[in-house]
Amino acid sequence: MLTHYPAGAATPFVTFMGAPRRSDTAEPQSGFAVVGAPHGIPYSVRQVHAGASDAPRAIREKSARFGAFHGHHDFDLGVSLDRYGALPLVDCGDVFAEPHDLAAGARRVTDIVAALRRAGARPIVLGGDDSTTALAIRGYEDSGPVEIVQIDAHIDFRDEVNGVREGYSSPMRRVSEMPWVRRIVHVGARGIGSARSQDVADTLAAGNRIVSARIANREGAQAVLEHLTPGAQYHVAFDCDGMDPSVMPGTSAPLPGGLEFDTVVDLVHGLAKRGTVIGINFAEYFPALDVNGITALAITRIIVNLIGASLAQQRTA
């Protein structure tokens, strides 16, 4: 179900931040588990291997230089990561997908996330296109209820596109239909995208909330946190185009005026204090469109902040 580069391959497998490899997702564990989900549900055969499919590899490679820095002072956290002991992080490799049976690969993403949750881990899913988001959250069926914080320039609430209901314009619509999802807070919306006015009306009617990028940057993390239940479980669904292109240029739909890095870091820390972040997934990172690996670096730093903030809360709880 999971695959690593074989031993002796020309391009050896690099784990996220040098974390230990673990192929058995059912093995009991506490902490965070990285898993790559390069392939989702494409709209056409031409998108079977989209540019975003290279994201898990690129993120791991960019993170590698920080693997030995656990003992160094982190100014975002105020301490070093190893202040809390051995880093509770493993890398489970990538979800295998057969090009002629992508539906089976999609099910594997959900099954692996569910297995990691049953084992006690918090999944960090390095995804391909945005269709992988719903696949990951579907794995929380036995972990609910959960509230979703979607960081995205778009609300992704289309019911279907050319008859495809699981594509990258529809993950939040599908997520809203999952009984274990209590609420979605869309964060970072701006500009124009695939959403119709009816899609906006539908998500609001379902009890979800929209916090635009302008409001989030101006009012800070509290503008998002106030819509979330204190003490609840949260999952962060992260689309790279939610950030300003100066922070994450490596995406297929960059728009000016996106979320600032500090806004997102403050939000991650605020979520860890308000409740429990049980997982995060990333989508829509196109390494070929990146500039000097800045996007992969920003993703790495957001993950580090999430881990550090969560460990700090566990220590003070």
Side-chain angles (χ1 to χ4, degrees):
M1 295 176 71
L2 290 160
T3 181
H4 295 90
Y5 288 109
T11 305
F13 181 79
V14 176
T15 63
F16 183 81
M17 288 185 63
R21 298 187 190 185
R22 178 171 293 176
S23 297
D24 184 1
T25 56
E27 182 179 342
Q29 53 189 295
S30 60
F32 294 84
V34 173
V35 60
H39 304 286
I41 299 176
Y43 283 118
S44 71
V45 69
R46 290 177 298 177
Q47 296 172 321
V48 168
H49 184 76
S53 300
D54 295 325
R57 171 195 54 78
I59 294 168
R60 287 184 174 106
E61 290 178 354
K62 192 65 175 181
S63 75
R65 68 182 296 255
F66 298 101
F69 288 7
H70 301 166
H72 296 205
H73 187 84
D74 191 313
F75 285 91
D76 288 351
L77 304 177
V79 296
S80 61
L81 264 180
D82 70 356
R83 169 78 175 272
Y84 308 108
L87 188 63
L89 178 69
V90 296
D91 193 324
C92 298
D94 289 345
V95 179
F96 173 76
E98 167 60 52
H100 300 294
D101 191 1
L102 292 177
R107 289 192 297 271
R108 289 188 191 103
V109 175
T110 296
D111 291 345
I112 288 169
V113 170
L116 289 171
R117 288 296 300 145
R118 287 193 297 269
R122 307 191 202 189
I124 299 173
V125 181
L126 308 180
D129 72 46
D130 224 12
S131 67
T132 58
T133 296
L135 303 180
I137 297 172
R138 196 165 281 139
Y140 290 149
E141 181 173 4
D142 296 330
S143 300
V146 60
E147 300 182 3
I148 310 300
V149 178
Q150 180 206 17
I151 295 176
D152 201 327
H154 316 103
I155 63 171
D156 291 345
F157 219 77
R158 294 286 300 280
D159 186 47
E160 58 84 25
V161 176
N162 297 326
V164 179
R165 304 183 74 242
E166 299 280 354
Y168 57 70
S169 291
S170 304
M172 289 300 110
R173 173 81 72 160
R174 301 288 80 84
V175 167
S176 73
E177 297 165 349
M178 299 175 189
W180 52 93
V181 173
R182 180 185 287 153
R183 168 176 287 184
I184 300 169
V185 181
H186 308 275
V187 186
R190 64 193 188 280
I192 189 170
S194 66
R196 274 59 168 174
S197 295
Q198 187 60 52
D199 300 326
V200 176
D202 288 348
T203 193
L204 295 176
N208 303 322
R209 297 291 182 267
I210 299 174
V211 180
S212 70
R214 182 178 298 175
I215 290 175
N217 285 333
R218 184 175 64 210
E219 300 182 11
Q222 187 56 36
V224 179
L225 297 173
E226 66 184 15
H227 296 299
L228 297 166
T229 306
Q233 298 184 127
Y234 314 127
H235 172 87
V236 181
F238 200 110
D239 185 318
C240 292
D241 63 37
M243 301 291 285
D244 191 77
S246 62
V247 181
M248 291 192 177
T251 185
S252 62
L255 283 171
L259 295 172
E260 299 170 359
F261 181 76
D262 288 346
T263 301
V264 172
V265 168
D266 288 346
L267 177 56
V268 166
H269 284 256
L271 289 170
K273 291 178 181 178
R274 193 171 183 82
T276 302
V277 182
I278 63 171
I280 187 170
N281 76 283
F282 293 86
E284 299 294 333
Y285 169 40
F286 289 73
L289 302 177
D290 206 359
V291 179
N292 296 328
I294 293 174
T295 305
L297 174 59
I299 291 171
T300 299
R301 289 301 305 161
I302 288 167
I303 293 173
V304 169
N305 272 275
L306 173 59
I307 293 173
S310 298
L311 294 177
Q313 286 306 117
Q314 290 177 8
R315 182 164 182 168
T316 59

